[in-house]
């Protein structure tokens, strides 16, 4: 298993296949993808999990976290998320946050993220903003 920076195009492919396969590829592209750092986890040289990290004055946000369905449940996504949380903290971010699908919030709690009162709907799916503050 290896984690490394990947191209936004490689991230788009996994995002599309896992998150929104019924939409056009353009649906998974982010306007600020050029400003993000895209990470991928490779298992036996196959890209199986992706996540994109964006840093700014309000902290670091991870977005479009996806693991191929046939590779889920093997710990790859968890390993990648831990890595990205550590990367965000290493950059000096005061917190890390995400827009989590509401039904996935228990997963993110295992990594120390907590639900906020900010919620919204997208594509018929309920989301909640979750965040974790880093100790000074």
């Amino acid at each position: 298993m290896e984690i490394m920076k990947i191209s936004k195009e490689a991230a788009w492919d996994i995002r599309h296949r896992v998150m929104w396969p019924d939409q056009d590829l353009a649906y998974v592209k982010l306007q600020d993808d050029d400003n993000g750092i895209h990470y991928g986890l490779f298992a036996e040289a196959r890209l199986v999990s992706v996540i994109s990290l964006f840093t700014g004055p309000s902290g670091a946000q991870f977005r479009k976290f996806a693991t191929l369905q046939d590779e889920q449940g093997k710990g790859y996504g968890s390993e990648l998320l831990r890595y990205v949380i550590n990367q965000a903290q290493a950059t000096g971010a005061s917190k890390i946050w995400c827009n989590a699908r509401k039904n996935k919030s228990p997963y993110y709690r295992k990594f120390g993220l907590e639900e906020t009162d900010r919620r919204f709907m997208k594509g018929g799916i309920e989301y909640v903003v979750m965040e974790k503050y880093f100790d000074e």
Side-chain angles (χ1 to χ4, degrees), residues 58-117:
S58 63
Q61 180 188 22
F62 66 90
R63 301 181 69 183
K64 304 296 185 187
F65 177 34
T67 301
L68 292 174
Q69 291 182 344
D70 64 326
E71 299 291 350
Q72 292 178 7
K74 299 178 181 179
Y76 296 138
S78 294
E79 193 67 32
L80 182 57
L81 183 55
R82 268 193 283 296
Y83 180 88
V84 167
I85 290 170
N86 289 336
Q87 289 296 306
Q89 190 170 18
T91 67
S94 60
K95 71 174 180 177
I96 190 164
W97 62 283
C98 71
N99 297 327
R101 291 181 184 209
K102 177 68 172 120
N103 67 329
K104 300 293 185 184
S105 61
Y107 175 78
Y108 293 112
R109 275 193 221 103
K110 292 189 280 185
F111 298 89
L113 282 92
E114 297 180 11
E115 288 188 32
T116 68
D117 59 359

Side-chain angles (χ1 to χ4, degrees), residues 15-25 27-28:
R15 288 179 191 172
H16 186 238
R17 288 197 279 165
V18 175
M19 302 177 85
W20 299 103
D22 298 333
Q23 298 288 339
D24 291 334
L25 180 63
Y27 194 78
V28 302

Side-chain angles (χ1 to χ4, degrees), residues 4-13 38-40 47 50 52:
M4 66 178 68
K5 292 179 184 176
I6 60 171
S7 70
K8 64 184 177 190
E9 292 83 5
W12 291 343
D13 178 57
H38 310 284
Y39 293 96
L47 180 60
V50 299
S52 299

